Amino acid sequence: MSELASETEVVLRLTDVVKTFPGVRALDGVQLEVRAGEVHCLLGQNGAGKSTLIKVLAGVHQADAGEITWCGEPFAPASPQAAMRSGIATIYQELDLVDDLSVAENAFLGHEPSRFGITRRRAAANRTASILARLGHPEIPARRLVRQLPAAGKQIVSMARALSHDAKLIVMDEPSAVLAHDEVENLFRIIRELTANGIAVIYISHRLAELREIGDRITVLKDGRTTAANLPARTTPTRELVSRMTGRTIEYVFPPRAEKPAAEPILVVDGLSREGEFTDASLTVAPGEIVGIAGLVGSGRSELLETIFGARKADTGTVTLDGRRITGVGAAVASGMGMAPEERKSQALLLDEPVYKNMTLASFSGFARAGFTDLRNERAAATRTADTLELRPRDVDRPIRTLSGGNQQKVVVGRWLLGDVRLLLLDEPTRGVDVGARAELYQVIHDLAAGGVGVLLVSSEVPEVLGLADRVLVMREGRVVHQAPAGELDEDTVLDLVMAGSLLEGNPA
Amino acid sequence: LLTACTSNTPATDAQVKTDTSGNANAAAGKKVVIGFSAPAADHGWIAAITNNAKAQAAQYSDVELRLVEAGSDAAAQRAALATLIGQKPDVLVMLPHDGKELDATALEAMRAGIPVVNLDRAFPSQAAYRLQLKGDNYGMGLAAGHYIGEQLKAKGATTPIIGEIPGIDSLELTQQRSAGFAAALAEYGFKVANRRPAEFTADSGQAAATALLQALPKMDALWNHDDDQGIGVLAAVKQANRSEFFMVGGAGSKTAIDTITKDDTVLKATVTYSPSMASSAISLARLIGQGKGLSDLVELQVPKDITLASETITKDNAAKYAKLGF
Amino acid sequence: MITETALPEVRERKRVRLDEGVVRNLGLVGVLAILMIIGAVTRPELYGDATWVKNNIFTILQQASAIGVVTVGMTFVLIGGGVDLSVGAIIALAGVWSTTLATQSYGPLGMVFTALVVGVVVGLINGVLISYGKLVPFIATLAMLVAARGLAAQISGKQTQISADATINGIATTKILGIPLLVLILAAVVVAGWVLLNRTTFGRRTVAVGGNPEAARLAGINVKRHTVLLYALSGLCCGIGAIMLTSQATSAQAAMANLYELDAIAAAIIGGTLLSGGRGTIVGALFGVLVFSTITNLFAINNLSTEAQNMVKGGIIVAAVLIQQFRYRSITQLFKR
Amino acid sequence: MITETALPEVRERKRVRLDEGVVRNLGLVGVLAILMIIGAVTRPELYGDATWVKNNIFTILQQASAIGVVTVGMTFVLIGGGVDLSVGAIIALAGVWSTTLATQSYGPLGMVFTALVVGVVVGLINGVLISYGKLVPFIATLAMLVAARGLAAQISGKQTQISADATINGIATTKILGIPLLVLILAAVVVAGWVLLNRTTFGRRTVAVGGNPEAARLAGINVKRHTVLLYALSGLCCGIGAIMLTSQATSAQAAMANLYELDAIAAAIIGGTLLSGGRGTIVGALFGVLVFSTITNLFAINNLSTEAQNMVKGGIIVAAVLIQQFRYRSITQLFKR
Ligand SMILES: Nc1ncnc2c1ncn2[C@@H]1O[C@H](COP(=O)(O)OP(=O)(O)OP(=O)(O)O)[C@@H](O)[C@H]1O
Ligand SMILES: Nc1ncnc2c1ncn2[C@@H]1O[C@H](COP(=O)(O)OP(=O)(O)OP(=O)(O)O)[C@@H](O)[C@H]1O
Ligand SMILES: O[C@@H]1[C@@H](O)[C@H](O)OC[C@H]1O
Ligand SMILES: [Mg+2]
Ligand SMILES: [Mg+2]
């Protein structure tokens, strides 16, 4: 298709587009050229300006300078509605759904089929159902409230909304971040369908492998500027992409594990169950050991982690840390457990507060004397952590809401580097994190383990689990179906286990 | 200082008519169920109304009082009355939150054959009540204005600075009092320099008085409509360290009468608006229920309108009024 | 996928979820029933009389009618993420304006028209201050509360204005097929509110605007304009409420409908509306209003003193909400097994 | 390559951000100044007298003192994501309880102690109902409002209870170094509140609990216990406020501190506190209270009628907030260039 695309007309062209926020030049001269029927990938570090760029296209933000032409005409959408009317539909990075509306109502929000203001609910439901079927998800009921859907389901609804418009360009901002492996395949099938019909797609992801598979051309952004345009997606060497993004070369490898972890476990989970979420989970983590949990979205890993942390009450089973029963979050944190939860905005961040206060959220009382906080010390410690994590920008006084998603994620992990943490639970720690930062995070996790901290890691990226962990547990339908040292597993085996394959069935943990 | 109603012991000494010797009407008669409704008491005067009604009813072996206190506005009172009327009392004594707003309800009761005794705040429709028993709000303002006018004239003041602290300003009775006050002052060529309403409570009285004193660095006289809020007004006067003026109160509470007697504050007089009218209303409602008249009158039935006179209590006559204070 | 494993659970959840609203309302029906039973037990002689009971129910409904209409408007504002503290003041202003001698000279239609227009216009001003002036709803409508009551006092000269219009006053006494007209008006507003919320684009957008304003904006909804309309709607309900109250009181006054804002918000919340927006039901709001109105009735027939009333009322409110929660939890529990 | 350009901008941004709170408060100072100037222009003969002006400022502060203390407590509750509608009722209950004859017989310390204990205990009950009973704060504290006023009426027999204690009454008349004791108490509470919010772990938890309760919980903060403490703190402030008001009025009564809840919430919001929690300032709250108290003063010295007062007051509130916003926007605008 890439040959085909290279011959088609240019539908969208951005020249020297600039967008500033108070104090930040998020876009500082962007060039972009998108052709009909192509998948044009945007690549860039966290905070490079990708989301800002697409929000300018979507009419959410207005560019301060520069030129945009859309289908040959100058284009400056004043509102999201204007952009949609011109045929540009967007799937935003942050889910933009209304929890208390149904799937169909969300899909057609703002352009509901109606007669005299009365919504035609049947029509909306039918059209939604057919879009969902086209998306490969006929099982999602159009009249279900969106709040009842898991994260992956919500992502599907976001896509359904984009498809509900007659778009000529669909912009997708990290749509795969919350999707599992097979879901991503499904997404690609749909993208191919779209491009075959001449629809252009702008695709954003931090996973290079995805760009290779689905992309036609790549434009690289760095600090709000285009540093490379129209690179062939399949053939450009990784080294070149990374250096265009970061200005340096990164060895994208997992650091080798030197020592064998101690045998005596620090965390013992015994027969833990929660109705409808997971059943009879038992596991141990030793000091300095990294244990990975692989599984599909919806397999109950997050719930298991939250239950271990005491944030949910177990129906049966026990959790002990160093022989002490963990009954609630307070006890967990007090005895040295920390958790970086899955949904950073709703579960981890104080969006209006500065970075350093978010960083010290779990440890500020440790810095305090007789109940009085020690802001200087806190800031200093937070700044050090920001350095370790290569936070961008390094300024720890900025409200965290102005950081890009990946950088926010670093703060969430960094939070637990500040206290005396002895066991760290990480739920999708690299979701939305760029390649460079990812390597840094991996290093941080390794250093922690080397320092004797036990790590329990949930990730939907199998290579990550295999590369980081000493031992891997595979979960399916709420049960631990397999566990083995990472060295004894490969990607295919894990995928097979995860997907209810039968390779090692009957050989449980 | 701790006296009587405006005090810390729930009042037991209500204003009741007990001495009924030689009154033929005192003899027990046909049993009368009296429904009674007054707005929720948020200050001493209204509290005294309800207390008096209860105490007076307790004097009669042939009276059963059905008390329905209603919330803080006319709608709440209508709701309460609707259920009370549904219970068909023999007579209904009602101190409406606002006479005009409850006019329709009273008419309804009258149409349902229940005689209504209208207490204090008047119904506009003649057909809405059997007996109207009220204080004289305009007259109260007149009394206060005349007292102040006379005093200032005696002092030879020509353009005196006069302050006024009314009660809840949205009530019509407040408007009437202020109107009477202004009319009386006008007879002397005086007028009100500043008017800061309070809400019949002591803390609001303090706030209003503080503001007034600040606005009038020099003052000659002050009328405060309500002795309950007057406690706060006097506190504010003391806090501002002011004494160049004299003050007249309103309603006639025991505390106010005592203070006037002691004569150690700016409060020199108060004009009455007595909650004893509630006791009288119960007595008259009983007679209406039994079809009897007032024994001193020639007429066989209780008359239709009775308006109490507003009297002026000063140090000189305070002793006489001491037991009528609420 | 969103897979076979998740699905059965999902189905089960749906059943429970659909029940949530109903169960909550069932809880409130339960509370109402309990209140009625207490009434019957404490005053058996009254509850023994069927006519009295029928009358009493109409009385309760009638007393709930004006505040009920206002609560429907408030529910929309709350779902849309706002709050309207000025409802009582709007009623007063609309009531007073429509009962000036000048307005009364235009007859009942003129009075109704005036009340509605005043309500809508004040609501529009609220909405514009909030949407375009970027004032927090609490402050904007609080300022309006103060100002509108002031204007009402000005217009009425602080006098209670008598409505001399037999048609207007008749609204409170008319019955149609034995049902008081006021109750029918309440029913009509509730039905209209239900349809508007659940069956129109306006209603669905209200949920979006309150639940996730950013998402609503991204979906192309004009959030500001919609917000303005919500306050106008609340103002309209106040205008209707003003006529209903005026007819009941055969008069209007600057201090009327005092603290209706608190009552309406409380009723909406008890009925399951979120103060933070994005969720709420019209039927729940109606039940919330009825709970309050039934409590008042219960107190009245038992001659409770105001102070006892208040203490008990505080307790009943807490109990009502706890009963609701308890019922919801235990019923969900049942479904879970 | 391009990194160097970003850095200086980031620094600049920081400066602007630090200014946000200050600029908002500057806006309020501006509003206060404007109100004073209007006073001076309309009543030059008063403002010409320096002693009067000094006295007037103290009067304004003194009248702001009790509600100011309550607003500090309210600000904590609001930042913590709640709301306390019962503050006025708590003051009434604490005031009435501490002025019963029995309590007064224990002398001034007994009275102060009683007021504080009543305040804290009622606050604790609010907190427990909200945290552990899972009631929405609006409903729980509304129920408490009703119940506490009822209990206060019961205890006082609906009478105004006179405080015969010279020490208590003396609080309102005492000056220290020429400054009224009430003003000093307000200052002490504001300073303590500022330190508590900005310099202690308690304050940090408050912001976390209100800003994102789930994040706070997952960071190991005991959200429920903290919530209970916040309402207890608000209750404590009400206890202090009750003593201050009792001393000013030399009496207490069930209807005292009427509608303080609205005043306190409005002052806090005008001072920059979010009704939705997670953000707020103590100094802003103080300015919010002072704006209201200065408005009252301005009206008094100009002998404005109640109805005119109300209309103008509504307008001033709107204007005050707009001025604040305007200043903030335009100053940020300046920095942008
Ligand atoms: N509303 C805003 N106000 C201030 N700064 C903003 C705002 N939105 C984005 N920024 C800043 O603009 C820059 C670009 O952010 P953007 O979200 O576009 O990055 P991104 O490339 O999408 O990153 P990620 O891969 O982490 O999603 C960042 O420095 C970010 O902090
Ligand atoms: N429609 C639904 N409504 C409510 N709960 C659901 C629904 N579908 C699935 N669930 C529950 O939610 C859980 C899935 O949540 P989630 O997707 O976070 O799982 P997970 O294993 O943590 O996956 P991931 O780590 O990718 O987040 C499952 O335990 C499932 O029981
Ligand atoms: O409430 C009013 C009272 O306080 C006043 O003094 O007299 C008349 C009453 O209606
Ligand atoms: Mg992004
Ligand atoms: Mg998960």
Side-chain angles (χ1 to χ4, degrees):
Chain A
M1 209 181 302
S2 74
E3 284 89 290
L4 213 159
S6 66
E7 284 151 25
T8 57
E9 58 178 323
V10 173
V11 287
L12 177 74
R13 189 188 301 281
L14 278 72
T15 322
D16 296 328
V17 169
V18 174
K19 172 73 198 171
T20 51
F21 295 112
V24 183
R25 235 173 154 77
L27 299 181
D28 190 18
V30 168
Q31 332 289 337
L32 178 69
E33 173 196 294
V34 179
R35 291 174 183 275
E38 79 162 333
V39 177
H40 197 105
C41 299
L42 276 183
L43 190 59
Q45 282 180 284
N46 295 132
K50 305 179 294 295
S51 297
T52 307
L53 173 58
I54 65 130
K55 283 185 181 164
V56 168
L57 288 179
V60 178
H61 296 320
Q62 280 69 44
D64 299 331
E67 223 178 289
I68 307 177
T69 50
W70 166 241
C71 299
E73 305 272 306
F75 182 61
S79 70
Q81 213 165 11
M84 281 184 269
R85 257 191 254 111
S86 317
I88 298 181
T90 309
I91 300 170
Y92 296 93
Q93 182 173 12
E94 307 296 342
L95 290 178
D96 56 345
L97 302 177
V98 181
D99 273 345
D100 280 289
L101 291 181
S102 71
V103 169
E105 285 166 343
N106 267 287
F108 285 94
L109 187 61
H111 61 121
E112 305 84 354
S114 66
R115 195 177 291 140
F116 311 119
I118 306 281
T119 47
R120 296 171 53 211
R121 303 196 312 149
R122 175 134 353 118
N126 289 343
R127 285 169 62 186
T128 306
S130 72
I131 295 173
L132 287 170
R134 186 170 153 214
L135 285 168
H137 284 282
E139 84 285 3
I140 298 180
R143 297 196 176 180
R144 169 80 35 89
L145 286 190
V146 154
R147 76 160 57 255
Q148 297 167 252
L149 297 182
K154 291 182 182 175
Q155 186 68 62
I156 305 292
V157 178
S158 277
M159 277 189 257
R161 172 188 287 177
L163 294 186
S164 74
H165 296 273
D166 272 333
K168 286 189 283 235
L169 168 68
I170 299 188
V171 185
M172 304 185 179
D173 196 355
E174 302 197 34
S176 59
V178 296
L179 296 182
H181 191 80
D182 56 331
E183 280 298 327
V184 176
E185 277 310 318
N186 188 37
L187 171 66
F188 288 172
R189 179 182 60 73
I190 296 154
I191 292 179
R192 288 192 188 99
E193 229 175 74
L194 291 170
T195 49
N197 290 323
I199 294 171
V201 171
I202 295 180
Y203 187 86
I204 301 177
S205 172
H206 289 293
R207 300 178 187 159
L208 293 182
E210 290 179 3
L211 310 194
R212 304 268 188 228
E213 187 178 343
I214 192 71
D216 294 311
R217 298 189 298 167
I218 299 178
T219 291
V220 184
L221 293 188
K222 178 176 183 322
D223 296 328
R225 291 185 194 173
T226 302
T227 52
N230 306 331
L231 303 173
R234 243 141 281 185
T235 52
T236 312
T238 300
R239 177 180 294 270
E240 185 184 344
L241 288 177
V242 171
S243 80
R244 297 280 194 168
M245 277 167 66
T246 63
R248 61 204 163 111
T249 50
I250 289 167
E251 284 309 314
Y252 192 76
V253 290
F254 295 98
R257 298 299 318 266
E259 286 149 81
K260 271 254 170 291
E264 204 55 37
I266 172 177
L267 174 77
V268 178
V269 176
D270 188 27
L272 213 57
S273 298
R274 260 178 70 87
E275 166 116 40
E277 292 174 357
F278 53 87
T279 317
D280 199 21
S282 299
L283 60 91
T284 63
V285 180
E289 188 183 24
I290 303 177
V291 175
I293 305 182
L296 281 187
V297 171
S299 57
R301 298 163 303 166
S302 295
E303 288 77 7
L304 175 59
L305 233 55
E306 286 178 13
T307 310
I308 293 175
F309 191 54
R312 294 173 183 238
K313 272 213 166 54
D315 294 341
T316 60
T318 60
V319 176
T320 54
L321 187 70
D322 263 346
R324 265 198 283 169
R325 276 289 293 277
I326 302 297
T327 47
V329 180
V333 173
S335 44
M337 219 193 271
M339 181 173 80
E342 178 175 20
E343 299 207 359
R344 57 177 173 259
K345 279 218 168 140
S346 64
Q347 293 186 292
L349 297 179
L350 303 175
L351 288 171
D352 287 332
E353 294 295 302
V355 166
Y356 82 92
K357 287 189 180 173
N358 274 282
M359 200 89 98
T360 58
L361 186 62
S363 56
F364 62 80
S365 41
F367 289 99
R369 235 176 266 174
F372 288 90
T373 49
D374 183 345
L375 292 182
R376 186 165 336 146
N377 225 332
E378 272 183 40
R379 277 189 81 253
T383 307
R384 280 195 300 278
T385 312
D387 286 341
T388 316
L389 296 169
E390 306 221 10
L391 198 70
R392 262 174 300 266
R394 207 60 59 90
D395 175 11
V396 296
D397 290 323
R398 216 174 216 281
I400 200 161
R401 73 154 72 248
T402 64
L403 260 57
S404 72
N407 281 299
Q408 291 177 354
Q409 182 65 31
K410 289 190 210 166
V411 176
V412 175
V413 175
R415 173 176 300 165
W416 299 103
L417 308 183
L418 283 172
D420 282 331
V421 77
R422 305 180 42 239
L423 177 79
L424 195 52
L425 311 177
L426 301 173
D427 197 352
E428 310 280 6
T430 59
R431 172 173 295 171
V433 175
D434 68 49
V435 199
R438 220 172 253 242
E440 288 146 15
L441 266 177
Y442 293 155
Q443 191 57 52
V444 167
I445 294 171
H446 265 266
D447 292 349
L448 278 172
V453 174
V455 176
L456 185 58
L457 165 89
V458 163
S459 171
S460 296
E461 292 184 46
V462 177
E464 185 168 290
V465 176
L466 289 176
L468 272 178
D470 301 309
R471 207 148 43 83
V472 174
L473 307 182
V474 180
M475 276 188 82
R476 195 173 69 230
E477 294 171 28
R479 287 178 184 275
V480 177
V481 294
H482 188 78
Q483 69 170 287
E488 295 173 15
L489 294 168
D490 58 34
E491 200 170 335
D492 289 341
T493 319
V494 174
L495 280 176
D496 190 48
L497 281 166
V498 154
M499 317 262 288
S502 54
L503 255 188
L504 298 168
E505 198 78 339
N507 185 12
Chain B
L1 236 175
L2 304 181
T3 40
C5 256
T6 317
S7 90
N8 313 57
T9 30
T12 38
D13 46 355
Q15 303 156 305
V16 245
K17 184 85 183 160
T18 43
D19 175 22
T20 48
S21 47
N23 182 346
N25 282 340
K30 182 186 125 203
K31 170 143 191 211
V32 182
V33 177
I34 301 179
F36 180 88
S37 169
D42 49 9
H43 64 292
W45 193 90
I46 293 276
I49 284 280
T50 307
N51 285 340
N52 286 345
K54 277 195 222 162
Q56 188 65 51
Q59 296 291 318
Y60 301 110
S61 56
D62 51 4
V63 165
E64 184 195 329
L65 190 70
R66 286 237 175 104
L67 192 101
V68 173
E69 283 188 52
S72 50
D73 65 2
Q77 192 173 24
R78 258 197 315 273
L81 281 167
T83 53
L84 187 56
I85 294 168
Q87 298 173 44
K88 296 247 156 38
D90 298 314
V91 190
L92 191 58
V93 178
M94 193 192 313
L95 196 165
H97 198 273
D98 177 310
K100 292 177 192 161
E101 288 192 80
L102 279 123
D103 197 59
T105 310
L107 274 171
E108 198 184 306
M110 289 286 284
R111 274 194 222 106
I114 305 168
V116 172
V117 176
N118 176 198
L119 190 55
D120 184 28
R121 303 178 188 171
F123 295 134
S125 308
Q126 293 278 328
Y129 59 88
R130 162 65 185 79
L131 164 64
Q132 196 167 67
L133 177 59
K134 54 191 207 316
D136 186 0
N137 284 299
Y138 190 87
M140 194 183 168
L142 278 180
H146 279 129
Y147 179 85
I148 287 175
E150 290 300 333
Q151 298 289 316
L152 291 176
K153 202 172 78 181
K155 282 187 196 159
T158 48
T159 50
I161 298 171
I162 299 169
E164 183 184 358
I165 299 183
I168 297 175
D169 207 23
S170 59
L171 296 180
E172 218 174 292
L173 67 94
T174 298
Q175 306 306 309
Q176 292 166 359
R177 290 174 185 186
S178 287
F181 187 52
L185 290 181
E187 290 178 27
Y188 303 85
F190 302 161
K191 64 182 201 321
V192 172
N194 201 322
R195 183 177 179 279
R196 301 287 96 204
E199 292 159 16
F200 290 140
T201 60
D203 64 322
S204 67
Q206 191 270 353
T210 301
L212 180 80
L213 293 172
Q214 197 55 33
L216 302 177
K218 223 194 78 53
M219 190 160 59
D220 295 291
L222 166 64
W223 183 38
N224 162 57
H225 288 206
D226 182 84
D227 286 336
D228 235 46
Q229 71 188 20
I231 296 165
V233 173
L234 281 177
V237 170
K238 193 166 165 224
Q239 284 149 19
N241 227 342
R242 297 273 292 267
S243 56
E244 81 280 5
F245 60 90
F246 68 93
M247 166 175 158
V248 177
S253 76
K254 268 209 177 76
T255 313
I257 297 173
D258 285 350
T259 312
I260 291 167
T261 312
K262 275 216 211 110
D263 197 16
D264 56 355
T265 69
V266 293
L267 185 66
K268 301 301 178 199
T270 188
V271 288
T272 64
Y273 192 91
S274 178
S276 59
M277 65 174 80
S279 316
S280 306
I282 295 296
S283 299
L284 298 177
R286 169 174 171 268
L287 295 182
I288 291 170
Q290 296 174 339
K292 297 182 188 158
L294 290 177
S295 45
D296 284 343
L297 300 184
V298 181
E299 285 74 20
L300 292 178
Q301 299 286 328
V302 173
K304 189 162 182 219
D305 281 287
I306 299 176
T307 302
L308 306 181
S310 178
E311 297 147 66
T312 305
I313 307 177
T314 62
K315 193 180 176 189
D316 301 333
N317 64 5
K320 195 174 73 183
Y321 283 94
K323 61 179 188 313
L324 266 184
F326 63 94
Chain C
M1 285 201 220
I2 320 297
T3 63
E4 297 79 88
T5 49
L7 208 60
E9 287 175 324
V10 166
R11 288 243 173 78
E12 192 174 46
R13 268 195 195 236
K14 179 180 169 193
R15 212 181 318 143
V16 177
R17 205 55 66 112
L18 270 182
D19 282 1
E20 169 166 1
V22 180
V23 169
R24 267 198 160 261
N25 288 345
L26 273 185
L28 286 175
V29 172
V31 171
L32 284 176
I34 294 174
L35 290 174
M36 291 278 186
I37 290 170
I38 296 178
V41 168
T42 50
R43 299 300 307 272
E45 73 284 14
L46 291 179
Y47 272 83
D49 174 353
T51 334
W52 183 90
V53 172
K54 194 194 92 187
N55 268 334
N56 194 44
I57 290 177
F58 279 146
T59 304
I60 293 176
L61 286 169
Q62 222 164 335
Q63 296 306 331
S65 60
I67 182 76
V69 168
V70 173
T71 303
V72 168
M74 180 70 85
T75 302
F76 272 90
V77 172
L78 289 172
I79 295 177
V83 69
D84 189 350
L85 295 184
S86 64
V87 289
I90 299 182
I91 289 186
L93 184 59
V96 160
W97 206 316
S98 61
T99 50
T100 57
L101 285 184
T103 315
Q104 290 201 34
S105 70
Y106 289 98
L109 280 183
M111 292 172 73
V112 171
F113 180 78
T114 306
L116 301 187
V117 168
V118 169
V120 170
V121 169
V122 177
L124 284 174
I125 297 175
N126 278 336
V128 168
L129 285 176
I130 291 161
S131 274
Y132 298 98
K134 303 211 168 92
L135 293 180
V136 229
F138 189 96
I139 294 295
T141 57
L142 182 71
M144 184 56 84
L145 183 174
V146 177
R149 288 233 183 252
L151 184 55
Q154 179 73 48
I155 292 177
S156 65
K158 292 184 255 183
Q159 306 291 326
T160 303
Q161 296 183 164
I162 295 181
S163 154
D165 192 285
T167 315
I168 294 291
N169 297 350
I171 295 174
T173 46
T174 306
K175 293 189 177 194
I176 293 174
L177 301 174
I179 303 173
L181 180 54
L182 288 173
V183 177
L184 293 175
I185 296 178
L186 173 63
V189 171
V190 167
V191 169
W194 188 90
V195 170
L196 188 61
L197 180 63
N198 296 293
R199 290 289 178 268
T200 69
T201 57
F202 180 87
R204 303 288 79 198
R205 289 175 183 196
T206 302
V207 174
V209 165
N212 191 344
E214 181 62 12
R217 197 171 74 92
L218 293 179
I221 293 171
N222 189 334
V223 174
K224 293 191 174 181
R225 195 184 57 198
H226 196 89
T227 303
V228 172
L229 292 179
L230 285 173
Y231 287 92
L233 177 65
S234 172
L236 177 67
C237 289
C238 294
I240 301 174
I243 292 293
M244 295 166 81
L245 265 191
T246 300
S247 116
Q248 284 179 283
T250 64
S251 63
Q253 181 209 16
M256 79 198 282
N258 191 30
L259 296 186
Y260 263 36
E261 47 279 7
L262 281 187
D263 292 347
I265 298 173
I269 293 181
I270 287 200
T273 297
L274 288 189
L275 195 49
S276 50
R279 203 187 312 173
T281 81
I282 299 294
V283 177
L286 175 66
F287 281 124
V289 170
L290 290 181
V291 166
F292 282 111
S293 157
T294 308
I295 292 177
T296 308
N297 181 259
L298 182 62
F299 290 157
I301 63 174
N302 277 294
N303 283 353
L304 239 60
S305 73
T306 316
E307 58 272 27
Q309 271 186 36
N310 285 341
M311 290 187 282
V312 175
K313 187 171 171 184
I316 293 182
I317 296 175
V318 169
V321 180
L322 287 178
I323 288 176
Q324 246 180 339
Q325 284 181 359
F326 169 76
R327 284 189 57 95
Y328 176 59
R329 270 190 229 147
S330 58
I331 289 184
T332 350
Q333 221 61 27
L334 280 179
F335 274 77
K336 248 188 163 174
R337 306 264 138 89
Chain D
M1 331 174 204
I2 310 141
T3 33
E4 291 86 273
T5 49
L7 256 170
E9 287 175 324
V10 165
R11 289 237 177 81
E12 191 177 48
R13 156 102 203 157
K14 180 183 165 189
R15 217 184 313 142
V16 177
R17 204 170 335 117
L18 274 180
D19 281 0
E20 170 165 359
V22 180
V23 169
R24 265 194 163 266
N25 288 346
L26 273 185
L28 286 175
V29 173
V31 171
L32 284 176
I34 294 174
L35 291 174
M36 292 278 185
I37 290 170
I38 297 178
V41 168
T42 49
R43 296 300 307 270
E45 73 286 13
L46 291 178
Y47 271 83
D49 175 353
T51 334
W52 183 89
V53 172
K54 195 194 91 186
N55 254 333
N56 195 45
I57 290 176
F58 279 145
T59 305
I60 292 176
L61 286 168
Q62 224 164 334
Q63 293 307 117
S65 61
I67 181 76
V69 168
V70 172
T71 304
V72 168
M74 180 69 85
T75 302
F76 272 90
V77 171
L78 289 172
I79 296 177
V83 69
D84 189 350
L85 295 184
S86 64
V87 290
I90 299 182
I91 289 187
L93 184 59
V96 159
W97 205 316
S98 61
T99 50
T100 58
L101 282 184
T103 315
Q104 290 202 36
S105 71
Y106 288 99
L109 280 182
M111 292 171 71
V112 172
F113 180 77
T114 305
L116 301 187
V117 168
V118 169
V120 170
V121 168
V122 176
L124 284 173
I125 297 174
N126 277 335
V128 168
L129 284 175
I130 291 161
S131 272
Y132 299 99
K134 303 210 167 97
L135 294 180
V136 228
F138 189 96
I139 294 295
T141 58
L142 182 70
M144 184 55 85
L145 183 175
V146 177
R149 288 231 185 253
L151 184 55
Q154 178 74 47
I155 291 177
S156 65
K158 296 186 251 183
Q159 307 292 330
T160 303
Q161 296 187 161
I162 293 180
S163 156
D165 191 284
T167 314
I168 293 292
N169 296 350
I171 295 173
T173 46
T174 306
K175 293 191 177 191
I176 293 175
L177 302 174
I179 304 172
L181 180 54
L182 287 173
V183 176
L184 293 174
I185 297 177
L186 172 63
V189 170
V190 167
V191 169
W194 188 90
V195 170
L196 189 62
L197 180 63
N198 296 293
R199 291 289 178 266
T200 70
T201 54
F202 183 88
R204 284 291 277 288
R205 282 189 202 112
T206 305
V207 173
V209 164
N212 188 341
E214 180 67 1
R217 191 172 78 98
L218 293 180
I221 294 171
N222 190 332
V223 175
K224 292 193 174 177
R225 194 184 56 197
H226 193 81
T227 302
V228 173
L229 292 179
L230 285 174
Y231 286 92
L233 177 65
S234 172
L236 177 66
C237 289
C238 294
I240 300 173
I243 291 294
M244 295 167 81
L245 260 194
T246 301
S247 124
Q248 284 180 283
T250 65
S251 62
Q253 114 196 81
M256 79 198 283
N258 190 28
L259 295 187
Y260 264 37
E261 46 279 6
L262 281 187
D263 292 347
I265 298 173
I269 294 181
I270 286 202
T273 297
L274 288 188
L275 197 50
S276 52
R279 204 191 316 170
T281 83
I282 299 294
V283 177
L286 174 65
F287 281 125
V289 170
L290 290 182
V291 166
F292 281 111
S293 167
T294 308
I295 293 177
T296 308
N297 182 262
L298 181 63
F299 289 160
I301 63 174
N302 279 295
N303 192 21
L304 239 63
S305 73
T306 318
E307 54 276 27
Q309 271 186 43
N310 285 342
M311 289 186 283
V312 176
K313 189 171 171 183
I316 293 183
I317 296 175
V318 169
V321 180
L322 288 179
I323 287 176
Q324 248 180 339
Q325 284 180 359
F326 170 75
R327 283 188 58 94
Y328 177 58
R329 270 191 229 147
S330 58
I331 289 186
T332 357
Q333 220 62 28
L334 279 179
F335 274 77
K336 242 186 165 178
R337 308 264 141 89

